[in-house]
């Protein structure tokens, strides 16, 4: 069914869940930048792909063997971008999934080096980066190129903390995700998220988002559109 779409004023125009459902994703191709590690069980590559005019980086673990392999996108939680490294704490989960026969892709998202920086109110930009990656996997999976070993009809999400909140938004918008695992996830309700961020930060963060009118928060919140 076509979602009801009530455009919001700038700077939130185009960011509501119904509006995100109406647009397309996945232009461009995924590229391998370099080989990061080779083991008997999988090979890890530094990869990059386009997302709404930005270049987003991450890593991809390709299991040993011919495939095709089901795909899991491993979505990391909040890390200070100034301290972030592509091989992050979530690497161990991506590696475990690769050993179990899943082709895993761990996107850095925008604003996380060496990815480009771009707009990201309410972390919607991170979700758009994941939606674009899904679109690319759908288009390139099983074709000649880096995603040749990927099954484009079998895409799942694993999201921790902030990554869980991203996964909630993505699975609400995308019909191409077969399953999502949420680990210590943020809420699908942005009002609850930013009330929690205010408490967690001692009132230093989340003030601007928490001050947004509740109807706008609700239009941006996956929980009301599942």
């Amino acid at each position: 069914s076509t979602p009801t779409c009530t455009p919001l004023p700038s700077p939130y125009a185009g960011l509501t869940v119904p509006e995100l459902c109406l647009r397309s994703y996945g232009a461009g191709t995924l590229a391998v930048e370099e080989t990061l590690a080779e083991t008997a069980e999988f090979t890890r590559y530094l990869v990059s792909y386009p997302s709404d005019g930005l270049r987003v980086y991450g890593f991809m673990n390709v299991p040993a063997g011919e495939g095709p392999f089901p795909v899991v996108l491993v979505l990391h939680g909040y890390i200070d971008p100034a301290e972030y490294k592509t091989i992050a704490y979530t690497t161990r989960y991506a590696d475990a999934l690769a050993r179990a026969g899943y082709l895993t892709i761990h996107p850095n998202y925008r604003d996380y080096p060496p990815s480009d920086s771009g707009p990201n109110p309410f972390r919607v930009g991170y979700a758009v980066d994941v939606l674009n990656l899904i679109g690319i996997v759908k288009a390139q999976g099983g074709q000649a190129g880096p995603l040749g070993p990927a099954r484009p009809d079998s895409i799942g999400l694993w999201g921790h903390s902030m990554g869980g909140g991203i996964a909630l938004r993505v699975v609400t918008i995308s019909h191409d995700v077969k399953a999502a695992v949420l680990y210590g996830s943020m809420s699908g309700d942005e009002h609850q998220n930013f009330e929690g961020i205010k408490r967690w930060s001692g009132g230093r963060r989340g003030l601007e988002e928490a001050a947004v009118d509740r109807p706008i928060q609700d239009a941006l919140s996956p929980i009301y559109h599942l």
Side-chain angles (χ1 to χ4, degrees):
S1 62
T2 302
T4 302
C5 180
T6 304
L8 295 183
S10 182
Y12 305 107
L15 303 183
T16 69
V17 172
E19 288 176 290
L20 291 171
C21 287
L22 294 175
R23 56 159 291 184
S24 60
Y25 302 94
T29 59
L30 180 139
V32 169
E33 303 294 340
E34 63 177 284
T35 301
L36 297 175
E38 293 186 67
T39 75
E41 298 161 307
F42 63 87
T43 301
R44 180 171 20 254
Y45 301 98
L46 178 69
V47 297
S48 68
Y49 66 94
S51 179
D52 285 21
L54 306 175
R55 198 75 191 170
V56 174
Y57 285 76
F59 71 78
M60 177 171 70
N61 290 345
V62 179
E66 294 185 6
F69 305 106
V71 179
V72 175
L73 308 185
V74 177
L75 309 181
H76 69 80
Y78 177 76
I79 307 170
D80 185 343
E83 300 175 0
Y84 179 80
K85 304 294 183 185
T86 297
I87 307 303
Y89 74 98
T90 34
T91 300
R92 63 181 180 269
Y93 303 108
D95 290 357
L97 285 163
R99 293 187 186 101
Y102 293 88
L103 187 150
T104 57
I105 307 177
H106 182 283
N108 290 358
Y109 323 130
R110 64 188 64 193
D111 301 336
Y112 279 91
S115 299
D116 293 337
S117 295
N120 189 43
F122 285 87
R123 298 172 304 281
V124 173
Y126 296 159
V128 168
D129 294 340
V130 175
L131 287 160
N132 279 318
L133 179 56
I134 290 171
I136 290 171
V137 172
K138 286 285 293 182
Q140 295 184 348
Q143 306 298 315
L147 289 169
R151 281 183 54 188
D153 62 342
S154 183
I155 300 173
L157 304 177
W158 180 100
H160 170 241
S161 189
M162 181 182 76
I166 295 167
L168 274 171
R169 192 182 308 278
V170 170
V171 79
T172 303
I173 294 163
S174 174
H175 295 288
D176 296 319
V177 177
K178 301 301 183 184
V181 173
L182 308 179
Y183 172 31
S185 176
M186 292 184 77
S187 173
D189 184 334
E190 296 296 4
H191 180 74
Q192 289 189 14
N193 283 332
F194 284 98
E195 287 298 315
I197 288 171
K198 281 197 305 181
R199 291 192 300 272
W200 167 72
S201 67
R204 295 186 300 274
R205 297 182 54 206
L207 300 179
E208 180 179 350
E209 291 87 351
V212 171
D213 290 344
R214 187 63 185 269
I216 294 179
Q217 290 188 15
D218 291 352
L220 294 165
S221 297
I223 197 70
Y224 300 109
H225 303 275
L226 294 174

